[in-house]
Amino acid sequence: MDFSVPQELQDYIARLDAFIDEKIKPLQAQDDNERYFDHRREYARTDFENGGLPRPEWEALMRKAKKLADEAGFYRFCLPKEFGGDEGSNLSMAVIREHLASKGLGLFNDLQTEHSVVGNFPTIIMLRDFGTPEQKEKFINGVLEGDLKLAFGLTEAGHGSDATHMETRAVPEVRNGKPGYRIDGEKQWITGMHEASHVILFTRREGQPGDPKGLTAFLVDTSLEGIRNEEFLWTFNMPTDHPRLSITDLWVPEEAMFGPPENGLALAQAFVHENRIRQAASSLGAACYCIEESIRYARHRKPFGQELARNQGIQFPLVELATQAEMLRQLIRKTAWEMDQMPHPEVEKTMSDKVSMCNYYANRLCCEAADRAMQVHGGIGYSRHKPFEHIYRHHRRYRITEGSEEIQMRKVAAYLFGYIGPRKGRIPEPTPRSQAAYIETKAHAAE
């Protein structure tokens, strides 16, 4: 077994770092753009008088950074060559995402907004695999060039993890002689709706609540009558771009249907593994940043005349975190590598549990590392002059979104106990106890 990072990937990361130093850091330094990353970051990013939405200047800055990355050939790294990418593997993306997150806060990689100079594009692959020729023609280049933006409308106020119970319904209806569907319902936590040109809207078209079949997705123009952002829900992690949508008498033509008519949930599930392993790598990188910053502070802070790091009460919690990070790194990279060795459908059948292990544990580790960093740094760690509270607030949401940690642990348990996956039907009977062991146990009980 070879656990080294391939030389080609090391060289790519070196070029990426050079690009960040040459192009992105100067952009961050000009026009007081540091306000988005120093102690002023929450106020600078959030338009509190406009529903808590992201400030337009902040979003414009991120678009500028992405454009620079795209021109330099980094932004589309994970995409197929047909879309201008390098066909970056899951392993490569995991290593890169960890590396960027371990560098701390910056315009090169802002996890609060899913912004990065090395982009993640689940909707592009979704369009490639499920879109009609007309949808591909319209949306793929439109999204990559930034002219169009897609939001993902799956969750409802009453239904999150239980998506098959969604209440938003699509009913066939002809209008002006044209066949289509009338959609009524509501959605919640639909990130990016404030600037989305279209939303992928999941509905129940047939079947009963709980049926996995009968769900249908539609590509819906957000300017149509009948779809409305009712309010943007303020969260622990501001700014907010997560609204509650009302959908009333919304009519869409048949050609708006996106993906399998009876299995729209396939879109939602198609690339969850790639997203989860990459997000796990980012959480690991952020955790490592918190650990390393704590080590540096503990070595140089000298209360009572000696280094803070001399105290075992400081050492041991960081030792635990560093040990967990090291083990998690190996699991993430092994899992990503194994994903690269098989067709995508096989991932769900054989190793979805490993992806879930990586994701839920990395998110939890990041929160624990950020909390410990605050404790090690004392008052300054609790302040916004250090980034730990920002990291904690952002990564705390990942223990709920992208599949809550309970849902992911349930997936692991289903594989572990052989209800699904490779162990199904293969859990042997308990090993019989020998007669001698039985007699010995009875004798001890009698005594």
Side-chain angles (χ1 to χ4, degrees):
M1 290 183 284
D2 184 358
F3 293 95
S4 62
V5 176
Q7 186 61 49
E8 181 182 5
L9 181 54
Q10 293 182 48
D11 294 341
Y12 185 89
I13 290 174
R15 296 196 303 273
L16 179 62
D17 284 342
F19 161 73
I20 291 170
D21 289 341
E22 181 183 351
K23 296 292 186 180
I24 302 300
K25 287 185 177 179
L27 177 59
Q28 181 176 324
Q30 73 184 38
D31 300 326
D32 195 27
N33 289 332
E34 291 292 351
R35 69 189 185 276
Y36 299 114
F37 305 98
D38 63 19
H39 61 282
R40 301 167 291 172
R41 55 188 169 264
E42 189 166 32
Y43 179 80
R45 297 177 180 202
T46 308
D47 191 344
F48 290 100
E49 279 65 53
N50 187 29
L53 285 168
R55 294 189 190 274
E57 314 92 275
W58 165 229
E59 295 190 309
L61 180 64
M62 289 188 287
R63 285 194 295 270
K64 191 170 184 178
K66 288 175 184 175
K67 187 173 186 297
L68 290 172
D70 204 12
E71 291 170 350
F74 293 107
Y75 187 53
R76 307 188 192 194
F77 172 75
C78 70
L79 286 175
K81 291 187 182 299
E82 62 186 296
F83 304 133
D86 293 322
E87 299 187 351
S89 66
N90 286 299
L91 176 60
S92 296
M93 282 294 286
V95 174
I96 290 169
R97 282 298 175 108
E98 179 193 339
H99 173 75
L100 291 174
S102 70
K103 293 159 74 75
L105 304 187
L107 185 55
F108 58 90
N109 191 67
D110 188 79
L111 296 173
Q112 184 192 48
T113 56
E114 307 296 339
H115 160 82
S116 179
V117 293
V118 180
N120 189 31
F121 304 95
T123 55
I124 299 299
I125 305 302
M126 194 182 301
L127 285 160
R128 182 196 68 180
D129 290 355
F130 293 102
T132 64
E134 294 77 16
Q135 289 168 346
K136 294 176 185 180
E137 176 70 23
K138 177 177 180 178
F139 286 102
I140 290 179
N141 281 334
V143 171
L144 286 174
E145 297 299 328
D147 299 323
L148 300 175
K149 184 166 183 178
L150 295 178
F152 199 76
L154 178 65
T155 303
E156 299 179 358
H159 306 288
S161 300
D162 58 339
T164 58
H165 290 261
M166 70 175 65
E167 297 175 44
T168 300
R169 299 196 67 88
V171 179
E173 184 175 296
V174 176
R175 290 194 183 180
N176 299 320
K178 189 171 184 178
Y181 292 88
R182 186 188 76 247
I183 303 175
D184 294 278
E186 64 171 9
K187 295 292 178 180
Q188 189 161 295
W189 306 119
I190 311 306
T191 304
M193 273 297 294
H194 68 297
E195 61 175 2
S197 63
H198 294 76
V199 58
I200 304 171
L201 201 60
F202 290 84
T203 70
R204 175 155 302 278
R205 194 171 61 91
E206 293 180 353
Q208 299 301 315
D211 290 347
K213 300 294 184 180
L215 299 177
T216 304
F218 295 90
L219 278 165
V220 178
D221 188 326
T222 57
S223 67
L224 292 175
E225 289 186 15
I227 186 167
R228 177 177 175 179
N229 293 335
E230 294 292 347
E231 63 175 329
F232 285 88
L233 300 164
W234 289 35
T235 69
F236 191 35
N237 188 35
M238 295 293 283
T240 178
D241 58 353
H242 318 292
R244 176 174 61 85
L245 307 183
S246 64
I247 304 155
T248 308
D249 193 29
L250 170 68
W251 186 87
V252 296
E254 277 189 341
E255 55 265 30
M257 189 180 293
F258 182 32
E262 302 302 322
N263 191 20
L265 207 57
L267 276 72
Q269 297 171 333
F271 304 101
V272 66
H273 300 98
E274 285 84 352
N275 283 341
R276 284 179 177 173
I277 199 70
R278 293 168 188 178
Q279 200 273 311
S282 291
S283 287
L284 171 62
C288 290
Y289 172 81
C290 293
I291 294 166
E292 288 299 321
E293 287 296 302
S294 298
I295 291 168
R296 293 172 191 167
Y297 185 81
R299 283 300 308 270
H300 291 90
R301 177 77 169 180
K302 295 184 178 179
F304 306 105
Q306 68 171 1
E307 293 178 359
L308 190 62
R310 294 287 182 182
N311 298 299
Q312 291 180 340
I314 297 295
Q315 292 176 356
F316 287 4
L318 291 174
V319 166
E320 292 276 10
L321 290 168
T323 301
Q324 292 166 18
E326 188 65 31
M327 291 189 291
L328 182 60
R329 177 178 297 109
Q330 306 314 317
L331 178 60
I332 288 174
R333 294 185 181 182
K334 173 179 178 289
T335 301
W337 179 83
E338 288 182 334
M339 290 170 66
D340 290 330
Q341 309 310 307
M342 63 183 70
H344 182 270
E346 288 300 310
V347 175
E348 172 65 31
K349 295 177 183 177
T350 62
M351 55 181 305
S352 184
D353 59 328
K354 298 299 189 298
V355 178
S356 288
M357 286 179 184
C358 293
N359 190 266
Y360 94 79
Y361 199 83
N363 297 332
R364 187 185 296 176
L365 178 66
C366 186
C367 290
E368 291 174 355
D371 183 76
R372 177 53 52 183
M374 285 187 249
Q375 193 70 22
V376 170
H377 283 77
I380 194 67
Y382 181 68
S383 79
R384 288 181 177 165
H385 293 270
K386 292 290 183 179
F388 310 123
E389 58 81 29
H390 176 88
I391 291 170
Y392 180 88
R393 284 188 291 110
H394 168 69
H395 286 269
R396 183 61 183 83
R397 80 170 185 170
Y398 278 130
R399 295 176 64 187
I400 301 170
T401 62
E402 286 289 328
S404 70
E405 63 181 41
E406 290 83 5
I407 289 294
Q408 296 195 61
M409 290 174 76
R410 188 174 72 169
K411 171 63 72 69
V412 175
Y415 273 67
L416 187 65
F417 289 95
Y419 295 113
I420 60 174
R423 289 160 61 90
K424 185 175 182 179
R426 298 183 182 180
I427 304 297
E429 292 288 330
T431 304
R433 300 179 63 197
S434 68
Q435 184 66 17
Y438 175 75
I439 294 172
E440 183 180 355
T441 302
K442 293 287 286 184
H444 282 303
E447 292 176 1

